[in-house]
Amino acid sequence: MTKTPPPRDIPTCKGPDPDTRTPRYRAPPGACDAHCHIFGPDAVFPYAPDRAYTPPDAPFEGLRRLHGILGIERAVIVHASCHGSDMRVTLDGIARSGGAYRGVAVVDPGVSDGELARLHEGGIRGVRFNFVRHLGGMPDMAFFERVLEQIEPLGWHVVLHLDAQDVTELAPRIARIRVPFVIDHMGRVKARGGLEQPAFRSLLELMRNDRAWVKICGAERVSSEGAPFHDALPFARALVSVAPDRVLWGTDWPHPNIAGDMPNDGDLLDLLAEAVTHEPTRRKILVDNPARLYWSEEQTA
């Protein structure tokens, strides 16, 4: 397969820190990285011609190596926008994991019920919509509503990748969603705005909805101070205090489009342990909650 030539007007993003530190915190058995990506390799799984960024290759083997260092046994591959709606790279990673990975899809308008059923068989359990401006902004809302109707019988959820200002603007609409919905990266709020900023207050209010989930990852995106990203901790703690049974954590490896300090993934796991000091709650976030959302068939078998 021919490697995709990088168009000159598409920015190239930085790669992850290659020297993952072994975390001090030892994750419990069955721990899950509930937000990570696989990029390429481009020569096998080409990047989409209309992508917003070109990443360095970060293939399945790199993700497995990372999880070996972190002591992570399960993962959720969130299909990356740089691959468009070509799901082959994510389905390949799930298949090669031997049941240890699940996935979240990106789909095109007009996706058929048959295609969604095929994705379900391949280990997909959710669909993601980007609202973030640098990745294309607001999706067509008729398309959005139609896909939510299609995924409801499958027992899937929707992942919402929002800019902070979108949380307040879209909160009434989000609250009406009938399937479970997952807010990425703590709503991408900015720590400098404090816990009382309108976007975060709206996010906390959304989390009182029984269908609402949130990922307390992306500390490097929330932080206004940079590494070690400690100013993101109060936001993670506040979200956990509201809905500990509906919180997920992930590395976000390989950290696309990071403008500031590139995090070390071992440090990020230790940052979670610092944010959540109660070990039974850590287990909920790392093991029980993702198992309920992504491996529910195992719990009902």
Side-chain angles (χ1 to χ4, degrees), residues 55-72:
D57 287 345
F60 173 82
E61 292 80 4
L63 185 59
R64 292 290 268 189
R65 183 167 54 252
L66 173 81
H67 289 155
I69 296 170
L70 299 184
I72 297 290

Side-chain angles (χ1 to χ4, degrees), residues 133-191:
R133 283 154 181 74
H134 73 263
L135 295 174
M138 188 82 65
D140 177 84
M141 295 311 289
F143 162 46
F144 176 79
E145 296 290 351
R146 186 166 57 252
V147 170
L148 294 192
E149 291 178 3
Q150 289 176 279
I151 69 172
E152 189 171 359
L154 294 169
W156 287 15
H157 61 277
V158 62
V159 176
L160 305 175
H161 189 202
L162 306 161
D163 285 313
Q165 58 265 37
D166 297 327
V167 178
T168 300
E169 178 185 344
L170 295 172
R173 187 166 203 151
I174 294 171
R176 294 195 298 270
I177 293 175
R178 296 198 308 266
V179 299
F181 56 89
V182 184
I183 307 293
D184 271 346
H185 305 320
M186 297 186 271
R188 295 179 67 102
V189 298
K190 293 303 178 187

Side-chain angles (χ1 to χ4, degrees), residues 53 61 68 85 98 119 152 160-161 163 216 225 249 258 268 301:
Y53 63 93
E61 292 80 4
S85 60
L119 294 176
E152 189 171 359
L160 305 175
H161 189 202
D163 285 313
I216 55 168
E225 297 176 355
W249 174 87
I258 293 295
L268 290 180

Side-chain angles (χ1 to χ4, degrees), residues 6 11 22 83 114 142 146 151 159 224 232 237 242 248 300:
T22 301
H83 279 288
R146 186 166 57 252
I151 69 172
V159 176
S224 299
R237 289 169 180 151
V242 171
L248 304 168
T300 57

Side-chain angles (χ1 to χ4, degrees), residues 17 24 39 89 196 208 217 219 233 252 266 295-296:
D17 186 332
R24 296 184 303 277
F39 295 152
V89 65
E196 296 302 319
R208 301 184 191 283
C217 56
L233 292 177
D252 195 25
W295 285 273
S296 59

Side-chain angles (χ1 to χ4, degrees), residues 55-127:
D57 287 345
F60 173 82
E61 292 80 4
L63 185 59
R64 292 290 268 189
R65 183 167 54 252
L66 173 81
H67 289 155
I69 296 170
L70 299 184
I72 297 290
E73 297 178 8
R74 285 182 160 183
V76 179
I77 305 170
V78 177
H79 189 74
S81 64
C82 62
H83 279 288
S85 60
D86 182 346
M87 291 296 301
R88 287 177 297 168
V89 65
T90 295
L91 292 172
D92 177 77
I94 295 169
R96 292 172 68 186
S97 77
Y101 290 0
R102 290 286 191 260
V104 171
V106 171
V107 298
D108 284 330
V111 63
S112 68
D113 292 343
E115 174 63 8
L116 294 174
R118 184 184 75 85
L119 294 176
H120 186 87
E121 184 66 23
I124 301 298
R125 293 296 181 268
V127 62

